[in-house]
Amino acid sequence: MRYNRLRISEDANSRLRSIRQRTGVTPNLLIRVAIMMSLEEGPIRVPAPDEKGPEFNAYTLTGDHTALIGAMLRHVEETEGESQPLGDDEMVARLRAHIHRGVGTLSVRAKSIVDLGRLAVCA
């Protein structure tokens, strides 16, 4: 999966601001947690609703873990009956959808920095 920049949904951005206010954790780190939570839920078939949120460059978004996150995304998305390997554009679209779903889940489960710590311990 190759990408230089990725724009998230407006709803995810709004939820990230709320989580940041509660936890003090930066959005890029929250997005990493959200991606992992969404990947744990399995493949996603519903695209993110829009691309009206802020744009992140790849390194800010996934840091040194870009290849690892890409491999995990490919494992989750291609093991459920996909006959053809997904192209870069489709992989980026699914990453955006996982961010949207994961941030939604995170906004419910992380009310404080302690909750984020508990989620990390359980992972």
Side-chain angles (χ1 to χ4, degrees), residues 3-121:
Y3 69 100
N4 293 325
R5 296 184 171 274
L6 186 141
R7 188 174 294 276
I8 66 172
S9 69
E10 186 174 16
D11 181 62
N13 182 47
S14 174
R15 290 174 189 255
L16 283 170
R17 275 189 267 138
S18 175
I19 300 167
R20 182 181 186 167
Q21 288 174 343
R22 294 189 308 241
T23 64
V25 178
T26 59
N28 61 320
L29 297 178
L30 293 170
I31 286 173
R32 293 177 196 179
V33 173
I35 291 170
M36 295 300 112
M37 292 177 71
S38 182
L39 289 175
E40 191 174 47
E41 293 179 32
I44 194 163
R45 299 294 182 250
V46 180
D50 59 61
E51 297 179 31
K52 296 179 180 175
E55 187 174 63
F56 292 87
N57 71 46
Y59 192 79
T60 300
L61 194 60
T62 53
D64 292 332
H65 309 292
T66 301
L68 176 64
I69 289 173
M72 292 170 57
L73 177 64
R74 188 168 298 281
H75 175 76
V76 168
E77 291 296 331
E78 290 182 349
T79 55
E80 294 286 328
E82 295 285 341
S83 60
Q84 297 283 330
L86 298 173
D88 278 347
D89 290 343
E90 183 61 26
M91 289 293 288
V92 171
R94 292 196 188 187
L95 177 60
R96 185 177 297 111
H98 277 286
I99 290 169
H100 180 76
R101 180 170 77 179
V103 168
T105 302
L106 190 61
S107 70
V108 172
R109 295 174 67 184
K111 300 296 183 197
S112 68
I113 190 71
V114 174
D115 293 336
L116 272 179
R118 286 187 186 129
L119 290 171
V121 169

